[in-house]
Amino acid sequence: MSYHLIGISVLWLFLYGYLIIASIDFGAGFFAFYARLTKQDPLINRLISRYLSPVWEITNVFFVFFYIGMIGFFPDTAYYYGSALLVPGSVAIVLLAIRGSFYAFENYGSKNNIVYLFLYGASGLLIPASLSVTLALSEGGFILKQDQTVSLDYWALFTNPLSWSIVGLAIVSVLFISACFLAFYATRAEDHAALKLMRTYALFWSTPTIIIALTAFIYLGQHNERHYQNMMDLWWLLALSIAFFMIAMWLLYRGRRYGLAFVCIMLQFFCAFFAYGIGQYPYILDPYITIQSSVTSSSMGFALVVVFIGGMCLLIPSLILVFKLFLFDADYVKGKK
Amino acid sequence: MGIDTVLWSKLVTGMTLGFHAIFATIGVGIPLMIAIAEFIGIRKQDSHYALMAKRWARGFVISVAVGVVTGTAISLQLALVWPNFMKLAGNVIALPLFMEVFAFFFEAIFLGIYLYTWDRFKNPYIHWLLTIPIVAGAGMSAVFITTVNGFMNQPGGFTMQGGQFTAVNPVQAMLNTATFSKVFHVLSSAYLTGAALLAGIAAFTMLRKGVTGYHKKALKLMMAVVMLFGLLNTVAGDVSAKFLAEHQPEKLAAAEWHFETESGADLILLGWLNAEHQIIGALHLPKILSFLAFGNFNAKVTGLNEFPSDEQPPLLVHYFFDLMAGIGFALLGISVLYFLFALWKKRNEHNKWLLRIIALGAPLAFLGVELGWFYAELGRQPWILRGYMRVEEAATTSPSVRILFFLFLLLYIVLGMVSVLVLRRLFNNNPAETEMEKRAQHAGDKRTGKGAHA
């Protein structure tokens, strides 16, 4: 396997990992704020902070990891996306900063401050919205290169239904994934009131998720025929995705096996996300960057792969430790430790 | 307009780095202090030290969070504000950046575990062991990032062909000639600053609320660390100066206002320049510059005039350099003074003036770090990659960068203010003595079986 394939596979896997754990985090922010508004916060906010406080930095690192890996394996991406995204990227930085500081300060008062809670909840939706725009950009037609200047055509971006449907999909997926995970976490904590609430949220957000996913797919067909056709050739992945979605819905509806339901949702997104990614092959930015044209030198590729394997040997045992201590330790989850 | 965009790009990055440097230094320095305090606490079975570790860790989390936030900002800004730099050098510096993410990831995981497992292990050493990956992760983060800075000063490990780097050897690029002295100086100054900060806080609290056992112990411990790393940092500074003299003479010459190449060069302290670039009112130490640069009083030191005028760093760095070095020596001096007072029984080491000086040491240490970084960055001008790419060639062409400066300025003001407020609330409303009593009471309850925690 060549370095560009290894690189893009690893990065795409990491982006998938970020998609799942960041969705849990972002959605939880929105639910925390919403619960406060509807006076249901005593029910779920303790549950949320119990899970999120130890892991938020890990979530953030997933993102930085993807980003640095992207620049490492495909340096051209830094130039094109960097030049075009100065403004939206900076806005995303500010949102991430607000969010990060919420966790830092939450134990010391910000949790009770309604302004901060609002910012926390709002950033939970705005960050996925702003980050997902990058996926729309990669379809081509929005980032333009004239002579030596790369620029972003804001008008085309904001008037295009594809970009809006991708943004919409990002937001509802976040809420869906997060609600389902928190329902599962609530069963672990044997917190029945929170479970009931989160199950309702999960069921509520499931339908919009699948509808907007289909909408985005249709608009993709209008915007980028090649990508659409490639994805149609991967129809079995899409079918699997829908099958997992149905299983998850059935389990949620019956109100049992929440862990399995969440795994099904992870698989649902895994299939769809990889169908999307493989369909985009070989482009990273249509039509300027392909993975073959932009891949770094082989010595660098080799070094990155070695570091990656070494890093994983360090990180996987540590992550298992975290999960054992916080996620699967029943006493901790229940708040006894 | 072109020049304007470049200037604003520099300002945005300088501001972000200047703000990040504070939290990054705390992030690297403090974990070691926490580890030392917890270890001594377990060894001596003295709960004062355990409390120290706990309180420092609590404050540390706040600064780490801000560090994460600003660190994320700077990593994204690299591509957003300097896209041409990343296009050229991304090929080479991605490896250390990638490794830094791993190191930080490692640190973050164990920090999470450390904070939430204070009383979960029967053997207290197991909890202490968690500090090792934290200290190592923080230290290695600094090492990897510093290699990138080293590379910008001493690019190597590639050949330049048709405007692109080819035959890249990323490991050789990381181990460039600047790396060793820079890493040494960054680490020693971070540990020095961390200790000076905690000593300063102890001294400040004693000034305001009177001398207590807890703060006495904290002060003594941190003064010892200040002395140790003050010495190491002096060595690191010396190594750095010798490195500059040999490999980057224009940077040293600008810092020393050393214009003509000569043997037995004088060391010039402070002073100012008149319109004809003559030095006025400075303190001249004969032949000392030659000695500092090469360990030989008669060695020849390259002067700034050897370099074309558009490749000379700004002369302002002279003050940054002198002040930074002065602060380094002052911190070392403070710790020596403290132990002299402590040993010489008649003079109380907790007398008001000494405490005031120690308290002043904390902000001075941070000033020193900032000045050092500004010297390191301005001293490299006009290059972003010395010899290969100038700063103005690297910057974005988007004029929006000006607005972004103000956006980030606002962000940093808010973040800075909120962290100060939170830290104040965290410690002012909960002094160490009160917490000590509570813990004692809690432990007592546990023994008699009255503990009411479910």
Side-chain angles (χ1 to χ4, degrees), chain B residues 94-110:
Chain B
L95 184 68
L97 291 177
F98 199 60
M99 290 162 97
E100 197 274 344
V101 182
F102 272 114
F104 178 73
F105 207 162
F106 194 56
E107 180 197 349
I109 289 172
F110 280 93

Side-chain angles (χ1 to χ4, degrees), chain B residues 13 52 59 61 65 79 84 99 115 149 163-164 179 191 213 272 278 281-282 284 293 297 300 336 378 408:
Chain B
T13 310
M52 245 173 248
V61 178
N84 299 312
M99 290 162 97
L115 291 172
N149 190 267
Q164 284 197 323
T179 290
Y191 295 132
W272 63 89
Q278 283 160 332
H284 291 254
F297 287 103
K300 190 191 262 187
V336 171
L378 286 177
F408 282 108

Side-chain angles (χ1 to χ4, degrees), chain A residues 67 79 104 296 299-300 325 329, chain B residues 65 75 84 91 95 116 120 168:
Chain A
Y67 159 80
Y79 174 66
T296 186
S299 56
M300 189 63 176
L325 285 170
D329 183 322
Chain B
S75 74
N84 299 312
N91 238 335
L95 184 68
Y116 289 86
R120 267 174 96 169
V168 173

Side-chain angles (χ1 to χ4, degrees), chain B residues 1-77:
Chain B
M1 195 188 79
I3 302 280
D4 222 25
T5 310
V6 174
L7 181 64
W8 286 109
S9 300
K10 284 188 198 175
L11 289 174
V12 167
T13 310
M15 178 175 65
T16 303
L17 281 174
F19 190 69
H20 179 64
I22 299 172
F23 296 93
T25 305
I26 296 178
V28 175
I30 301 291
L32 183 66
M33 311 306 142
I34 296 173
I36 293 174
E38 190 177 7
F39 183 73
I40 291 183
I42 301 172
R43 281 297 295 271
K44 289 191 174 175
Q45 303 227 331
D46 184 336
S47 53
H48 271 142
Y49 289 100
L51 183 64
M52 245 173 248
K54 224 170 183 174
R55 284 171 70 87
W56 291 348
R58 234 180 279 154
F60 174 65
V61 178
I62 309 274
S63 72
V64 158
V66 181
V68 172
V69 160
T70 51
T72 309
I74 189 66
S75 74
L76 288 166
Q77 277 181 4

